[in-house]
Amino acid sequence: MLRFSRFLPSASRRGFDIKEALWSGSLTFQHAVSTSAANLDERSSGKKFASYTVFKGKAALSIHPILPSFSKLESGGSRIERNGSVMLTFFPAVGQRKYDYTKKQLFSLSPTEVGSLISLGPAESCEFFHDPSMKSSHEGQVKKSLSITPLGSDSGYFVNITVLNNVQKTTDRLSVPITKAEFSVMRTALSFALPHIMGWDQVLTHQPAAPASSKPRVERPHPDSEWER
Amino acid sequence: MLRFSRFLPSASRRGFDIKEALWSGSLTFQHAVSTSAANLDERSSGKKFASYTVFKGKAALSIHPILPSFSKLESGGSRIERNGSVMLTFFPAVGQRKYDYTKKQLFSLSPTEVGSLISLGPAESCEFFHDPSMKSSHEGQVKKSLSITPLGSDSGYFVNITVLNNVQKTTDRLSVPITKAEFSVMRTALSFALPHIMGWDQVLTHQPAAPASSKPRVERPHPDSEWER
Amino acid sequence: MLRFSRFLPSASRRGFDIKEALWSGSLTFQHAVSTSAANLDERSSGKKFASYTVFKGKAALSIHPILPSFSKLESGGSRIERNGSVMLTFFPAVGQRKYDYTKKQLFSLSPTEVGSLISLGPAESCEFFHDPSMKSSHEGQVKKSLSITPLGSDSGYFVNITVLNNVQKTTDRLSVPITKAEFSVMRTALSFALPHIMGWDQVLTHQPAAPASSKPRVERPHPDSEWER
Amino acid sequence: MLRFSRFLPSASRRGFDIKEALWSGSLTFQHAVSTSAANLDERSSGKKFASYTVFKGKAALSIHPILPSFSKLESGGSRIERNGSVMLTFFPAVGQRKYDYTKKQLFSLSPTEVGSLISLGPAESCEFFHDPSMKSSHEGQVKKSLSITPLGSDSGYFVNITVLNNVQKTTDRLSVPITKAEFSVMRTALSFALPHIMGWDQVLTHQPAAPASSKPRVERPHPDSEWER
């Protein structure tokens, strides 16, 4: 029998408890979040923020989705300009249930990387490599890798980030064990998010016709647009 | 061949029939529901309520989702303040197709507990422990556990709740057998609900730009926000 | 290699082609649909109708979802009054690509029956029994059963309806073979429909606060409503 | 351990990088897209466009969903007139990271073909045959086939299109290898799109009652509409 409480620190059996402990015990984290949110909101009032965060002994991992952006076309429609993504934020523990958000490390998953993660079998691994400065003069200065490796016995995964900074001569590693239940949340949330970060939900949402365009569409082409276009 | 009608009391082959039998035969239950709904609505007019309920010989189990709450940020955006949840309500049978809603027992599933439930294999079990008074002076007075154990032969699960009250010196146990078809409904509904109780659907819904903000966003940062932020 | 075209009549390789053949060749069917839709619309203007239909040699099967209904509560909220369903409509072939819609047979799937169908393994079967007059004086006059049995070799299912009318002394049987690809469409569409026919999408949709209710909600109870309620 | 970067050209490890390379390096492609979008928008202002594109050595494959169309009924409701689809666009490489969009080949997947694709097992194949001129005097002039065959070792699929033109005496073949991660994106996006191209999301979306219709619906039929209709 799986007893999921075994995988969590004793205070973390209830989601709310972890959070309350954190809010009261870790001012550093709370403050950092507020600041970050404020910065974002200056250019995005009305936006909403929600993440899924797991707090473990040595580090915490927080995941949140980022919307795609569309650009207007001359004809009045719009086309996706940049895919959304799913941002992974790691931050190290600096004490019992205290985390230092200022030492966070970020890793942004593209749609294909999300596809890789949600199709991962129980005994499979995957690894992604990012160079934030690729194709610039700073290419190669910083190298990031994210690996997801099984804990064994179908009990979850290790999520590891390594950030190698060739300028500052530093290597940061953070690793967060994820239970099978937590990975199920991530898989479900990421599967839900994927069509949204690709913009497909916006394409597939029925747009009510504008009230003025009451004239019939006379010249509609044959449905088999495979051929005509 | 699975014949699902074998798992249900004879009158329960049709969903509506159960409900009608209950509405007419169990005033206690009907009244309790109305009261409960009324209490909720005093502080939530406009809200909608729907649950998935299975009525079995010794007890019934009802499941309904609860929305997360968001708090406003100074900048105009909002951030999730408290995750939603999925509430399980058990109530004992007090006669044929009569259930006593006043003796109900509640168990609220966090997102991670929902993740555990929806990833449960046919032969797997899981168990959750809650102390509603954790971190208060009443900690340990009441202990709740929920376990989900396989019925065997891939035919469904037993869902069991145990509530141990150390003050009143009582132990309440309720157990509801769930067929594979009913668990499929729960798994599908909970998988649907999970991104919503996490608030991700609200984050990922495209918010039409406010009509007044027609000025272009000049200073948009580089897309690779992994690095800059 | 699966070649799905082998499972379909030659004209049915393209979805549109079947439909066009039907629209032009079977006035009976077309007329019946229009009548049926008109009846519905008298009490539901603004409603939309869409179904998934497979046309086979001896019969056709059409599937469409039906919304749940909610009833207003005194407090302004609303509670689900009746679950939605998924309606299966069978109609016999009366010639090549001609179907007689007036001889249709209906079978309405409850949420739990939908759960049974979408969790069906490749070699599994299920069977449902309905008595449309259950608990009335006509109980037992008509008995319906729906069975879904594997075609073998993971290539799809037979969907069979039997309607036994003890008054008219008739037994109607219609059977439609469903390819694996068609069952995949049904499974996906029914999994999508399930939370909607249960009303959970309406419960989980964030309702923007009414503009007038600007006063803060002072007396919000503790989040751990497991215990208090 | 799977290292997905092995399946991609070195510059394609990051989704954005591919795109940027393409936008700057392939004016042909960029121009063609703009033209195509403009044509569409003349008859569909307000529409949104988003696709999922994989760029490989010899060709690229782009996938985007197309909405269904509804027609008004006299009663005020509407009925689906034509299913939506998922359009696959192949275009050949004409240099390193340069693709010629003018030589594109299109293949439109019906709902059932989408169902076939999303239920494909790791070692399974499928093949579809289209004749864009079927049932016209040009029938047989052009034959298209799309096949999806496994790469082996559960590492993805080859997606191949063959277009045989009996008039121009030409045969065009384009083939794009798809990694397991990319196929996971397609499967997830297509599973999301399927109920939408079938119009079921529009059927299942609760339509708020019109404000004028405040009179009660007196003559509502018995819920068990299986029988009465």
Side-chain angles (χ1 to χ4, degrees):
Chain A
M1 179 183 291
L2 298 176
R3 289 175 181 257
F4 287 97
S5 56
R6 287 183 55 195
F7 295 97
L8 300 169
S10 68
S12 70
R13 281 174 191 151
R14 307 290 319 290
F16 293 135
D17 297 334
I18 299 181
K19 206 169 164 184
E20 287 165 16
L22 188 79
W23 287 163
S24 56
S26 171
L27 285 171
T28 307
F29 175 68
Q30 191 173 21
H31 181 67
V33 166
S34 302
T35 307
S36 167
N39 285 348
L40 282 170
D41 285 322
E42 286 175 1
R43 57 178 191 272
S44 59
S45 70
K47 274 202 177 173
K48 292 190 171 182
F49 302 92
S51 60
Y52 178 63
T53 307
V54 292
F55 300 94
K56 297 299 168 74
K58 295 191 178 171
L61 169 60
S62 185
I63 299 182
H64 71 272
I66 295 176
L67 277 171
S69 61
F70 279 74
S71 58
K72 281 276 175 196
L73 298 169
E74 289 177 21
S75 51
S78 56
R79 195 181 64 191
I80 196 164
E81 186 182 59
R82 191 185 309 134
N83 274 326
S85 60
V86 173
M87 185 65 81
L88 274 57
T89 308
F90 296 78
F91 34 96
V94 291
Q96 206 182 356
R97 282 180 233 142
K98 293 197 180 191
Y99 300 89
D100 186 350
Y101 197 73
T102 65
K103 293 185 180 163
K104 68 181 184 288
Q105 295 289 357
L106 301 172
F107 203 96
S108 168
L109 298 178
S110 70
T112 301
E113 288 163 343
V114 169
S116 174
L117 197 150
I118 62 176
S119 64
L120 209 58
E124 289 180 339
S125 303
C126 64
E127 187 164 9
F128 311 121
F129 301 95
H130 287 188
D131 179 343
S133 308
M134 187 148 61
K135 293 180 193 305
S136 81
S137 60
H138 299 296
E139 183 166 339
Q141 286 184 354
V142 172
K143 292 182 177 180
K144 291 183 180 189
S145 75
L146 181 85
S147 72
I148 303 176
T149 56
L151 286 173
S153 309
D154 191 18
S155 57
Y157 298 87
F158 261 112
V159 183
N160 313 286
I161 188 171
T162 303
V163 180
L164 175 66
N165 190 318
N166 285 319
V167 179
Q168 300 176 8
K169 307 293 180 198
T170 56
T171 302
D172 285 308
R173 285 197 184 86
L174 290 171
S175 186
V176 178
I178 301 292
T179 67
K180 190 184 169 190
E182 290 160 350
F183 193 75
S184 167
V185 175
M186 292 182 189
R187 189 197 302 270
T188 304
L190 265 55
S191 297
F192 172 83
L194 186 50
H196 292 79
I197 67 175
M198 296 165 66
W200 281 38
D201 65 311
Q202 296 186 46
V203 172
L204 285 164
T205 299
H206 171 66
Q207 304 290 339
S213 70
S214 58
K215 63 178 180 181
R217 298 180 182 181
V218 189
E219 41 177 353
R220 190 161 44 198
H222 189 273
D224 192 359
S225 52
E226 270 181 53
W227 199 236
E228 265 63 41
R229 282 199 286 191
Chain B
M1 179 184 292
L2 298 176
R3 290 177 181 257
F4 287 98
S5 57
R6 286 182 55 195
F7 295 97
L8 300 169
S10 68
S12 70
R13 282 173 190 151
R14 308 289 319 289
F16 294 135
D17 297 334
I18 298 181
K19 206 169 163 184
E20 287 165 16
L22 189 79
W23 286 163
S24 57
S26 171
L27 286 171
T28 307
F29 175 67
Q30 190 172 22
H31 181 67
V33 167
S34 302
T35 308
S36 167
N39 286 347
L40 282 169
D41 285 324
E42 285 176 1
R43 56 178 191 273
S44 60
S45 70
K47 275 202 175 172
K48 293 192 170 182
F49 302 92
S51 59
Y52 178 63
T53 306
V54 292
F55 299 94
K56 297 300 168 75
K58 296 191 177 171
L61 170 59
S62 185
I63 299 183
H64 71 273
I66 295 175
L67 277 171
S69 61
F70 279 74
S71 58
K72 281 275 175 196
L73 298 170
E74 289 177 20
S75 51
S78 57
R79 194 181 65 191
I80 197 164
E81 186 181 61
R82 192 186 306 134
N83 274 327
S85 60
V86 174
M87 184 66 80
L88 274 57
T89 307
F90 296 78
F91 34 96
V94 292
Q96 207 182 354
R97 282 179 234 142
K98 293 197 181 193
Y99 299 89
D100 187 350
Y101 197 73
T102 64
K103 292 185 181 164
K104 69 180 183 290
Q105 295 288 357
L106 301 172
F107 203 96
S108 167
L109 298 179
S110 70
T112 301
E113 288 163 344
V114 169
S116 174
L117 196 150
I118 61 176
S119 64
L120 209 57
E124 288 180 338
S125 303
C126 64
E127 187 164 7
F128 311 121
F129 300 95
H130 287 188
D131 178 344
S133 308
M134 188 146 63
K135 292 181 193 307
S136 80
S137 59
H138 300 296
E139 183 167 339
Q141 286 184 355
V142 172
K143 292 181 178 180
K144 293 183 178 189
S145 75
L146 180 86
S147 73
I148 302 176
T149 55
L151 286 173
S153 310
D154 191 18
S155 58
Y157 298 87
F158 261 112
V159 183
N160 314 286
I161 189 171
T162 302
V163 179
L164 175 66
N165 189 319
N166 284 319
V167 179
Q168 299 176 7
K169 307 293 179 195
T170 57
T171 303
D172 285 308
R173 286 195 183 87
L174 290 170
S175 185
V176 178
I178 301 293
T179 68
K180 190 184 168 189
E182 291 160 350
F183 193 74
S184 168
V185 175
M186 292 181 190
R187 190 197 301 270
T188 304
L190 264 56
S191 297
F192 173 83
L194 187 49
H196 292 79
I197 67 175
M198 295 165 67
W200 281 38
D201 65 312
Q202 296 186 46
V203 172
L204 285 165
T205 300
H206 171 66
Q207 304 290 338
S213 70
S214 58
K215 61 178 181 182
R217 298 179 184 182
V218 189
E219 41 176 353
R220 189 161 45 196
H222 189 273
D224 193 357
S225 51
E226 270 182 53
W227 199 236
E228 265 61 43
R229 281 198 287 192
Chain C
M1 180 183 289
L2 298 176
R3 290 177 180 256
F4 286 98
S5 57
R6 287 183 54 195
F7 295 98
L8 300 169
S10 68
S12 69
R13 281 174 191 151
R14 306 290 319 288
F16 293 135
D17 296 333
I18 298 181
K19 206 170 164 184
E20 286 165 16
L22 188 79
W23 286 162
S24 57
S26 170
L27 286 171
T28 307
F29 175 67
Q30 190 173 22
H31 180 68
V33 166
S34 303
T35 308
S36 166
N39 287 346
L40 282 171
D41 284 323
E42 286 176 0
R43 57 179 190 273
S44 60
S45 70
K47 274 201 175 173
K48 293 191 169 181
F49 302 92
S51 60
Y52 178 64
T53 306
V54 292
F55 299 93
K56 297 299 168 75
K58 296 191 176 171
L61 169 59
S62 185
I63 299 183
H64 70 272
I66 296 176
L67 276 171
S69 62
F70 279 74
S71 58
K72 281 276 176 195
L73 298 170
E74 289 177 21
S75 51
S78 56
R79 195 180 63 192
I80 197 164
E81 186 182 61
R82 192 185 307 133
N83 274 327
S85 60
V86 174
M87 184 67 79
L88 274 59
T89 307
F90 296 78
F91 34 95
V94 291
Q96 208 182 354
R97 282 180 233 142
K98 293 196 180 192
Y99 299 89
D100 187 349
Y101 197 74
T102 64
K103 292 186 181 163
K104 69 180 183 291
Q105 295 289 357
L106 301 171
F107 203 95
S108 168
L109 298 179
S110 70
T112 301
E113 288 163 345
V114 169
S116 175
L117 197 150
I118 62 177
S119 64
L120 210 58
E124 289 180 337
S125 303
C126 64
E127 187 164 10
F128 312 121
F129 300 95
H130 286 187
D131 178 344
S133 308
M134 187 146 62
K135 292 181 194 305
S136 81
S137 59
H138 300 296
E139 182 167 341
Q141 286 183 354
V142 173
K143 292 181 178 181
K144 293 183 178 189
S145 76
L146 181 86
S147 73
I148 303 175
T149 55
L151 286 173
S153 309
D154 191 18
S155 58
Y157 298 87
F158 261 112
V159 183
N160 313 285
I161 188 171
T162 303
V163 179
L164 175 66
N165 189 318
N166 284 319
V167 179
Q168 301 176 6
K169 306 294 178 195
T170 56
T171 302
D172 285 308
R173 286 197 183 86
L174 290 170
S175 186
V176 179
I178 302 292
T179 67
K180 190 185 168 189
E182 291 160 350
F183 193 74
S184 168
V185 175
M186 292 182 189
R187 192 197 299 271
T188 304
L190 265 54
S191 298
F192 173 82
L194 187 49
H196 292 81
I197 67 175
M198 296 165 66
W200 281 39
D201 65 311
Q202 297 186 46
V203 172
L204 284 165
T205 301
H206 171 66
Q207 303 291 338
S213 70
S214 59
K215 61 178 181 183
R217 297 181 184 180
V218 189
E219 40 177 354
R220 191 162 44 197
H222 188 272
D224 192 358
S225 53
E226 269 183 52
W227 199 236
E228 265 63 42
R229 282 198 286 192
Chain D
M1 180 183 289
L2 299 176
R3 289 176 181 258
F4 286 99
S5 57
R6 288 183 54 194
F7 294 98
L8 300 168
S10 67
S12 70
R13 281 173 191 151
R14 307 290 319 289
F16 292 135
D17 296 334
I18 299 181
K19 206 169 166 184
E20 287 166 16
L22 188 79
W23 287 161
S24 57
S26 170
L27 284 171
T28 307
F29 174 67
Q30 190 173 22
H31 180 67
V33 166
S34 303
T35 308
S36 167
N39 286 347
L40 281 170
D41 285 323
E42 285 176 1
R43 55 178 191 274
S44 60
S45 69
K47 274 201 177 175
K48 293 191 170 182
F49 302 92
S51 60
Y52 178 64
T53 306
V54 291
F55 300 94
K56 296 300 168 74
K58 296 190 176 172
L61 169 59
S62 184
I63 299 183
H64 71 272
I66 295 176
L67 277 171
S69 61
F70 279 75
S71 58
K72 281 278 176 195
L73 298 170
E74 290 176 20
S75 50
S78 56
R79 194 181 64 192
I80 197 164
E81 186 182 60
R82 192 185 308 133
N83 273 327
S85 60
V86 174
M87 185 66 80
L88 273 57
T89 308
F90 296 78
F91 34 96
V94 291
Q96 207 182 355
R97 282 180 232 142
K98 292 198 182 192
Y99 299 88
D100 186 350
Y101 197 73
T102 65
K103 293 185 180 163
K104 69 180 182 291
Q105 294 290 356
L106 300 172
F107 203 96
S108 167
L109 298 179
S110 70
T112 301
E113 288 164 343
V114 169
S116 175
L117 196 151
I118 61 175
S119 64
L120 210 58
E124 289 180 337
S125 302
C126 64
E127 186 164 9
F128 311 120
F129 300 95
H130 287 188
D131 178 345
S133 309
M134 187 147 61
K135 292 181 192 306
S136 81
S137 60
H138 299 297
E139 182 167 340
Q141 286 184 355
V142 173
K143 292 182 178 180
K144 292 183 179 188
S145 75
L146 181 85
S147 73
I148 303 176
T149 55
L151 287 173
S153 309
D154 191 18
S155 57
Y157 298 87
F158 260 113
V159 183
N160 313 285
I161 188 170
T162 304
V163 180
L164 175 66
N165 191 317
N166 284 319
V167 179
Q168 300 175 8
K169 306 292 179 197
T170 56
T171 302
D172 285 308
R173 285 197 183 87
L174 290 169
S175 186
V176 178
I178 301 292
T179 67
K180 190 184 168 189
E182 290 159 351
F183 193 74
S184 168
V185 175
M186 292 182 190
R187 190 197 300 272
T188 304
L190 265 55
S191 298
F192 173 83
L194 186 49
H196 293 80
I197 67 175
M198 296 165 67
W200 281 39
D201 65 311
Q202 296 186 47
V203 172
L204 285 164
T205 300
H206 171 65
Q207 304 290 338
S213 70
S214 59
K215 62 178 180 181
R217 297 181 184 181
V218 190
E219 40 176 356
R220 190 161 44 197
H222 188 272
D224 192 358
S225 52
E226 271 182 51
W227 199 236
E228 265 64 41
R229 282 198 287 191

